[in-house]
Amino acid sequence: MFVIKSKFGALVVAIGMLVGSCAAATRSSASPEITIGMSAPLTGENAVYGKALVAGARAYIQRANDSRVLGTRTLALVALDDANSRATAGINARVLIEKHDVVALFGFASATLTLDAIDIAKTTRTSIVAPFTGAENVRKPGLPIYLLRASYAQEIEKICEAWAVFGFQTISVVHYSDVVGNQNFESANRVLSNLKIKAISVPVVRGDKLSKATVNAVLNARTPAMLNTTAVEHFGGLLRALRQAGFSSMVSSVSFANIDEVREIAKETKTGVFMTSVVPSPQSGMQPLVVTECNEDVIKISGARSFSSVEACIAMKVLVEAIRRIKGDVTPEAIGRSLSNLGKYDAGGFPISFVPPSTQGSSYVGLQVISKSGDVQN
C-alpha cells in the first residue's frame, strides 16, 4: 500500500492530531502490514527531488513485498508532502506517528526538514532512518537518527583533493549563512587549509532569491575554481548568471544540489561541473547489483532512473533488512535495536556498516564529471 498526501491534506490531518500522544510501545506491527512514514517535498521548488526519493522508497518496498522478504508480512509507505517547509515536515512527523502508527520515519529530504522531527522521534523512541543530508547537526551522538550517506565534510574533502592536483591557491566556497551552511564552509576551509589552499567565503541567505551581490562576490573573488554547497535553486541561478557574465573558472558542487537537476542546468548553460554523489552512478556501465536492481524497479514505478531514487531505494533496502532481522513484533524500539546491531551488511555490492557508536552506515563518495552536454562521466 502506498499513500501520498498533499501539503494541505497533511496540515488538515495535523490540526486534529496535536492533542494527545501515542507511546512508542503501542505502535507494534504484529499485524501483517508494517507501515513506514516519510515526509518529502512533493510540491514546490524541490518537488523533482522529493518525488524521486518517494519513487525510490516505493520501488524497494514493491520488490520486498513481491519477493516476500518479510514472509507473510507486507510493507506500506505513507508519504506526506512538506513542500520543503521545516514547520510542515515537523507536523508531518507527528501526524505519521500519531495518526498513521508508523514504526519508523524515513528519508526526510534535508537537515532542515529533519530538525523539527527529532523531538517527537525522541519522545516516542522512533528512529529517523536515512534523512537525505550530509549535515553535521544531524550526526550528533544520542540522536535517534541512522544515516545512509556520507557527510558533506567527506564530500567536500573529495572535491578539494581533486582541485589540489591543479595547484590552485584559492577557491571560492558558496554556502548558506545559517548553522548548516557555515558548518559546510568550515569543513571546506579546514580541508583546503590542510592542502595549503585559501577558502573564500561567499554566503547566501537560505530561502531568498539569488542576489546580484552573490554573483558579484564570486566574480570579484577571481578564484580559479568554485565549490558550491547550496541547493539546486541557488546553484542553478548562479550558474546561469555566471555564464552570462563570462565566468570561466572551474565549477564543483556537493550532492545537495541534486545531480539529476544539475545535469539539465549544465546542458542549458554549457557548463561543465565536477560533482560528488553518495551512491554509484545509475548511468554507469559498471554498477553494483543493488544499483542495477533499483534502476529496474524505479523505472517500473516512475518511468525514470536517477541518483536520488537509487539512494532512496538502497536506504529502504537497509531499513527492510533491519526489520527482517527482528524476532517477534516490529516496534519502533525493536527497529532501533536492529539497526544498531546491523553490523556490516552487503546491500548488493554497496557495503553498509552500523557498528556502534557510529550511526553512519556509508562513507561512499563518488566524483562525477558532468559535461557541457549534461552527460555524466565517472
Side-chain angles (χ1 to χ4, degrees), residues 208-340:
D208 285 2
K209 291 185 178 180
L210 180 70
S211 68
K212 187 175 182 181
T214 299
V215 177
N216 287 337
V218 175
L219 293 172
N220 293 336
R222 299 183 183 279
T223 59
M226 180 188 79
L227 168 60
N228 169 70
T229 66
T230 68
V232 68
E233 296 81 18
H234 281 114
F235 185 46
L238 188 58
L239 285 184
R240 294 181 181 99
L242 292 174
R243 176 66 177 174
Q244 290 179 353
F247 183 78
S248 58
S249 297
M250 303 177 81
V251 177
S252 61
S253 177
V254 298
S255 64
F256 183 48
N258 188 6
I259 191 169
D260 302 302
E261 293 181 81
V262 171
R263 290 179 62 197
E264 296 302 316
I265 298 168
K267 184 177 180 180
E268 171 195 337
T269 60
K270 306 299 182 186
T271 303
V273 180
F274 288 85
M275 195 162 180
T276 48
S277 67
V278 292
V279 293
S281 171
Q283 281 83 34
S284 173
M286 298 290 290
Q287 300 171 345
L289 176 61
V290 69
V291 176
T292 300
E293 291 178 345
C294 284
N295 269 339
E296 295 172 354
D297 296 341
V298 168
I299 289 172
K300 292 177 185 176
I301 292 287
S302 66
R305 62 185 178 180
S306 68
F307 282 85
S308 303
S309 56
V310 165
E311 181 183 353
C313 179
I314 295 173
M316 183 59 75
K317 180 174 184 177
V318 175
L319 173 55
V320 172
E321 174 62 18
I323 292 172
R324 187 188 69 81
R325 296 187 186 189
I326 294 172
K327 306 296 183 182
D329 294 350
V330 179
T331 64
E333 296 99 324
I335 288 176
R337 287 193 300 269
S338 186
L339 284 166
S340 295

Side-chain angles (χ1 to χ4, degrees), residues 156-171 191-192 194-197 224-225 250 274 367 369:
I156 289 168
E157 184 173 6
K158 185 85 168 183
I159 291 173
C160 291
E161 287 176 349
W163 285 149
V165 301
F166 292 96
F168 297 152
Q169 295 183 332
T170 58
I171 291 177
V191 174
L192 288 170
N194 290 337
L195 296 169
K196 310 301 182 186
I197 301 173
M250 303 177 81
F274 288 85
L367 188 60
V369 181

